[in-house]
Structure formats: structure tokens, C-alpha cells
Amino acid sequence: MHASTVRSLLVRGMLAGLIAGLLAFAVAYVVGEPPVNGSIAVEEAQAAREADAATGAHAGHGGTGAAEAAEEEEEAVSRPVQSTFGLATGVLVYGVALGGIAALAFSFALGRIGRFSPRATAALTAAAAFTTVYLVPFLKYPATPPAVGNPDTIGKRTTLFFLMILLSVLLGLAAVIAGRRLAPRLGNWNATLAAAAGFVVVTGVAFVLLPANDDAVAAGFPAALLWEFRLASLAVQAVLWTVFGVVFGVLAQKALARRTSPAGTPAEAGAPLPG
């Protein structure tokens, strides 16, 4: 594929990621912010109880250090700004960045994973990205609301999560390669099933071997609020990748159609473009 074509697809991928990010932000604000606010309320109530206990313990000595520390602690960014401008910025930057990366993956996959149209290839790329980058790591290390876990282990938990993402992506690539090599002997359908089964089995082994995040959620945190947050997180990612797959598929189809001849084009046949 020519460099100019890849560059054009990259720009369209970033645009599709921006559009997907806008819709994902709307979902995050409507269904994601309520459980976040609830978790913050739980944290503040716990902090207030601890401050009252500390104040009572030092009352006989005239100590007010805990209360003063609580009063002095202020947010660097207000909660309204975090839930609007901050959330929008984070989601949009995330959408644009992943949109560009997915567009590059699409450029490599087009015509190499089967005789699919650009729209179908975009949908498959988005589905694979959602599965490997988010769904599989989520199943092992589910999302948790802010400030509900042990702050001393946040570094370990972050490392494990990104390790799971890396492992999931590598296993996904291995499954695609295995499916391609098995296709001449087993046929496309059976090769796809075999590769998918291998991916599930090896991923399951990784789930067993990697340590769990036992202290990711504080004891006594409301289970209903926790699952509400996790389902909202899942919904945001599902919307992001679904919208990206649809929008980028349309943009890529039009872009590739303009760069090929009217009849028997690689874009129509799902074959890789020359170069």
C-alpha cells in the first residue's frame, strides 16, 4: 500500500476516533459519572469517620491534627471540571490516539486476513482491538472506581493491567497468524475456529498464572455500586469501538474507492492495494 494511502487512512482513523470519542464521552458522562460520584461519596464518608475517630482519640490532649489535615486537603481540580472538561479531554485524546493506531492496523490487515471489503475489515479490526485491548484485560482485572483500593499497590496493579494488555495483543496476533497458516489445510472457517479456541485456552492459562488484584477494592465497598461502575466502563468502550468501526469503515471505503480504477478494484475485491 502506498505511503500516501496509509497517510490518508491514518487521518481518517483519527477523525473516526474523534467522532467515536465524542459519543463515548456522552455515555461516560451519563452512565459513568453517577457511580464515580457514588464511590467518591463512600470514600468521603469513610474519611470523615476516620477523622472523627482520630479527633476523639486526641480530644483529651487538645489535638486537632486530623481535622486540620482534612480541612487543608483540597482538590487541585474541582469535581465539576473533572467530570466535564477533564473527562471529555481524556476520552477524546484516547479516541484519537487509538483511532490512529487502529487505522495503521487496518492498513496492514486489508487483504491479508481474507477477501473482505474495507468496511468489513474495519469492523473486524475494531472488534479485535476491543477484544484484545480492553475486554480480555477487563475480564482478568476489572475496572474499579477511583480511590477504592489500597493506594500502596496501585503501581503493581497498573503494571499487571498493562502486562495483560500486552499479552492479550500478542496472543491475538499469534491467533491470526495461526489461522492464516491453518487455512489451506482446514479451510477458512475451521482454521478460524481452531485459532480462536487456541486464543481462549492460552488466555485462560494466563488468567490462572497471573496474580489477582485482591486489594483492588476496599472491604465493605458497595457491590452494586462497583458493578454499576464496571458495566458503565464496559459500555463506554463498546460504544467507542463500535462507532469507530462503523465510521472508519465508511471513510476507508470512500478513500480507497477514489484511489483505484472503476472496475475490478482491490477495494471492491478486498485485496491489498498495489505497492
Side-chain angles (χ1 to χ4, degrees):
M1 186 178 291
H2 293 296
S4 60
T5 303
V6 176
R7 185 164 53 249
S8 175
L9 291 174
L10 175 62
V11 172
R12 284 164 174 77
M14 296 173 69
L15 176 60
L18 178 63
I19 296 173
L22 287 171
L23 293 179
F25 162 69
V27 174
Y29 184 78
V30 173
V31 304
E33 282 304 302
V36 171
N37 290 332
S39 68
I40 292 175
V42 171
E43 178 195 13
E44 291 176 346
Q46 177 65 25
R49 287 193 296 268
E50 293 176 354
D52 290 342
T55 301
H58 292 84
H61 303 282
T64 58
E68 292 175 354
E71 292 176 358
E72 292 175 358
E73 184 178 356
E74 296 179 358
E75 292 180 330
V77 181
S78 66
R79 179 63 191 143
V81 173
Q82 292 176 10
S83 62
T84 52
F85 180 76
L87 177 63
T89 301
V91 174
L92 292 179
V93 170
Y94 179 82
V96 171
L98 289 188
I101 295 173
L104 296 178
F106 166 89
S107 301
F108 176 80
L110 183 63
R112 292 184 172 90
I113 60 173
R115 299 182 67 81
F116 298 108
S117 68
R119 287 185 181 181
T121 303
L124 291 173
T125 301
F130 170 73
T131 301
T132 57
V133 175
Y134 181 77
L135 183 59
V136 171
F138 174 86
L139 293 176
K140 176 61 179 177
Y141 301 118
T144 56
V148 302
N150 184 352
D152 295 334
T153 62
I154 188 171
K156 173 187 174 183
R157 289 186 275 124
T158 302
T159 300
L160 288 174
F161 181 74
F162 281 103
L163 176 62
M164 191 68 242
I165 292 177
L166 177 61
L167 183 60
S168 176
V169 171
L170 292 177
L171 290 177
L173 292 174
V176 171
I177 295 173
R180 290 272 296 169
R181 292 185 176 181
L182 291 174
R185 287 183 293 168
L186 303 180
N188 289 333
W189 178 251
N190 291 333
T192 301
L193 291 179
F199 175 80
V200 171
V201 170
V202 178
T203 301
V205 173
F207 278 16
V208 173
L209 296 179
L210 288 175
N213 280 340
D214 296 328
D215 56 356
V217 180
F221 188 82
L225 185 59
L226 176 62
W227 281 106
E228 183 181 352
F229 176 85
R230 288 177 173 175
L231 290 177
S233 175
L234 186 61
V236 170
Q237 291 289 332
V239 168
L240 177 71
W241 287 110
T242 299
V243 174
F244 172 80
V246 173
V247 174
F248 180 66
V250 173
L251 296 178
Q253 185 86 31
K254 292 181 179 180
L256 293 173
R258 287 198 297 266
R259 284 168 168 75
T260 52
S261 59
T265 67
E268 293 173 349
L273 296 176

